[in-house]
Amino acid sequence: MSSNKNLSLEAVLEILQERVFHHTGRYLSRSEIVLIKGSWDGKDYKEIASDSGYNMHYLQTGVGTALWAMLTEVVGEGVQVKKLTLRNILLKLAKKEYFKKLETSYKNVDRLIGATRAYGDFPKITSFYGRQDEIRILKNEIVLFNKRCIALIGIAGIGKSILASKLIEEIVLEDASNYEYVVWKRINRSSRIDNLVTDLINIFKIEEAKHITLETKLYLLLKHLQSYRCLLVLDGFEAIAQVDIFEKKLEYEDFFAGITQEKHQSCVIVTSQVPLREVAYVNVNSSIASFQIEGLKEDAAMQLIREKGITGAKCKELIETYRGNPSELEAICDRINHIFGGSIEKFFDYKTTVIGPRIEAMLNLQFGQNGLLTDLQKQIMIYLAEEITKNSALVPFSKLINDLKERLKLEVMSISKVISALEVLEQRSLIEASKKSSKHELSYGMEPVVKKYILVDPHGLIYKSLSKKELTSSVQE
């Protein structure tokens, strides 16, 4: 897709004219506009002169030299504006201006941005690091492969919501007319599928949602997704993941069956700490794609902590300790600045791991809400936290099984249930799995922050929540 298919040069020039007038008190001259338009299209001075009737030498020296210097000051933001860099700089400028208007539109549901109606409260992107590969892959899944549902799965603070917001920014910037509705719906803990679908029907103004069944509401919502191109984000879906209630799982299945299996021209992006297949049986087909969002790569994480004013030889160790989790890195950098005067070496002298607020809230939910973690899953996490603390090494699968048998005093243990529990914990990024080679068995570990939470048990949720009787029945054949 062309990067300026809908973002016309005329729209960019309008923004640029405002900036130039604000800084210089004048608008761009005709010759300057001719040079900007030709540069935007990748033409050289000779081609621009031939097309416009201006003398090539005049455009290059009489207009260009002063124009590039002026634009460097007005819109360069530290980058020198040249003929070759102009287009990318103007696209960046237009993107910023466009999304300022888009943010304003969220406050007024009847406000239009181009051909797109925008609803909801998108996260404000104050900083964004790395993720270029993820953005490229996700854009292809939505724009080229027409996936009807994209699931972004990952631990708290890993950046799922910001990634989704950045993804929409990129898609809408490239072709704002591609979608008639862009909707961001943050899921509250008090919500249920029925509430969610009702809210969406009201947003789209389909019809009065009172006194009709959930089945009818789902039908109306699906018809709307079929009739209009909608880009819909359901942010924080784990908040309504009541996985232990069978009736709720059926509602989830009906919801996801509608948005993934029925043909429509919209895309639903779901962010969740819990994989969708845990919430409901989700048929993996060509219309749905699930992505595990990991921590930032080292170069992006390094950029984050340096912008926080943290430098030194221990930066790589800090990134590894917090697994590149941007929220955790920001929180610990703030504490290093506040408590240790910005010295990362002094922080590491205390040999402590600080639990950030996002991770703590997530773990409180996992251990405190019935149905999110089974007793077996909790026992596995407690065992790993204690074992890694004793031996500072990953735990092989065979040792884990043998130790659990002894620990729980069970003569018979369902290996398949333990394997399933391990898979769930790994998918939720609550434990880590690795192997030396394809011929070795898996070994298991845990992020230092998660281990610290379990050992400290700050709210008394971990050991208190275990039921020996229920545990015994849950792991036996």
Side-chain angles (χ1 to χ4, degrees), residues 451-464:
K451 182 184 73 173
K452 175 73 171 284
Y453 177 91
I454 290 172
L455 296 177
V456 173
D457 193 9
H459 304 286
L461 298 173
I462 297 172
Y463 296 89
K464 180 181 178 181

Side-chain angles (χ1 to χ4, degrees), residues 16 32 39 43 63-64 70 99 106 113 118 167 211 230 233 235 279 289 304 325 354 357 365 414 423 434 440 455 464:
L16 184 59
E32 288 173 329
S39 300
K43 296 177 180 178
V63 178
M70 182 266 288
F99 280 93
Y106 298 146
I113 297 296
L167 175 63
H211 311 303
C230 306
V233 180
D235 185 30
V279 180
L304 184 158
N325 185 309
V354 179
L365 180 67
S414 170
E423 288 175 343
S434 65
H440 285 81
L455 296 177
K464 180 181 178 181

Side-chain angles (χ1 to χ4, degrees), residues 69-268:
M70 182 266 288
L71 292 181
T72 297
E73 183 179 344
V74 173
V75 298
E77 295 185 351
V79 177
Q80 186 177 1
V81 177
K82 301 177 182 178
K83 189 172 175 299
L84 294 176
T85 61
L86 175 71
R87 189 172 179 275
N88 285 336
I89 289 172
L90 291 185
L91 280 173
K92 185 178 179 181
L93 168 68
K95 181 190 294 187
K96 286 185 177 180
E97 292 299 318
Y98 184 89
F99 280 93
K100 281 181 184 177
K101 295 178 182 178
L102 193 57
E103 284 176 8
T104 303
S105 76
Y106 298 146
K107 300 173 184 177
N108 182 350
V109 296
D110 293 319
R111 179 85 174 268
L112 288 172
I113 297 296
T116 306
R117 288 186 180 273
Y119 300 82
D121 189 14
F122 279 54
K124 194 166 185 179
I125 304 177
T126 55
S127 57
F128 190 82
Y129 305 95
R131 306 286 194 202
Q132 288 85 2
D133 290 341
E134 291 94 328
I135 291 285
R136 176 180 52 80
I137 292 168
L138 291 168
K139 280 166 64 177
N140 286 341
E141 292 288 345
I142 295 171
V143 178
L144 295 181
F145 304 129
N146 299 313
K147 292 292 172 70
R148 293 191 283 272
C149 182
I150 301 288
L152 306 180
I153 310 300
I155 200 168
I158 207 67
K160 302 180 295 296
S161 300
I162 293 297
L163 177 58
S165 186
K166 186 69 172 178
L167 175 63
I168 289 176
E169 177 181 304
E170 295 280 343
I171 291 173
V172 175
L173 176 68
E174 289 187 352
D175 189 357
S177 66
N178 202 27
Y179 290 96
E180 294 160 277
Y181 293 88
V182 177
V183 178
W184 189 283
K185 177 63 179 173
R186 176 67 189 171
I187 310 298
N188 298 317
R189 274 218 222 155
S190 58
S191 297
R192 296 292 180 267
I193 285 292
D194 191 287
N195 306 135
L196 172 60
V197 177
T198 299
D199 289 346
L200 294 174
I201 288 175
N202 291 335
I203 286 173
F204 292 131
K205 300 180 180 177
I206 298 173
E207 71 169 49
E208 182 65 39
K210 293 180 180 178
H211 311 303
I212 56 176
T213 65
L214 176 59
E215 183 180 6
T216 302
K217 293 176 187 177
L218 286 170
Y219 170 78
L220 292 172
L221 177 60
L222 181 58
K223 291 295 288 184
H224 191 82
L225 297 179
Q226 290 171 334
S227 301
Y228 301 93
R229 285 189 59 77
C230 306
L231 195 53
L232 169 62
V233 180
L234 304 178
D235 185 30
F237 202 84
E238 74 281 347
I240 55 175
Q242 299 284 346
V243 294
D244 60 335
I245 304 176
F246 180 72
E247 291 79 7
K248 295 299 178 186
K249 294 189 75 168
L250 293 180
E251 291 180 0
Y252 299 148
E253 287 172 14
D254 289 342
F255 176 76
F256 283 109
I259 65 174
T260 61
Q261 295 174 21
E262 297 294 334
K263 288 186 178 181
H264 57 73
Q265 52 185 340
S266 300
C267 180
V268 180

Side-chain angles (χ1 to χ4, degrees), residues 341-357:
S343 172
I344 192 171
E345 288 77 14
K346 288 182 180 178
F347 167 74
F348 273 101
D349 283 345
Y350 285 87
K351 296 181 173 59
T352 186
T353 303
V354 179
I355 306 170

Side-chain angles (χ1 to χ4, degrees), residues 375 466-474:
D375 280 355
L466 292 173
S467 165
K468 184 65 180 291
K469 181 179 180 181
E470 291 178 7
L471 175 64
T472 302
S473 63
S474 71

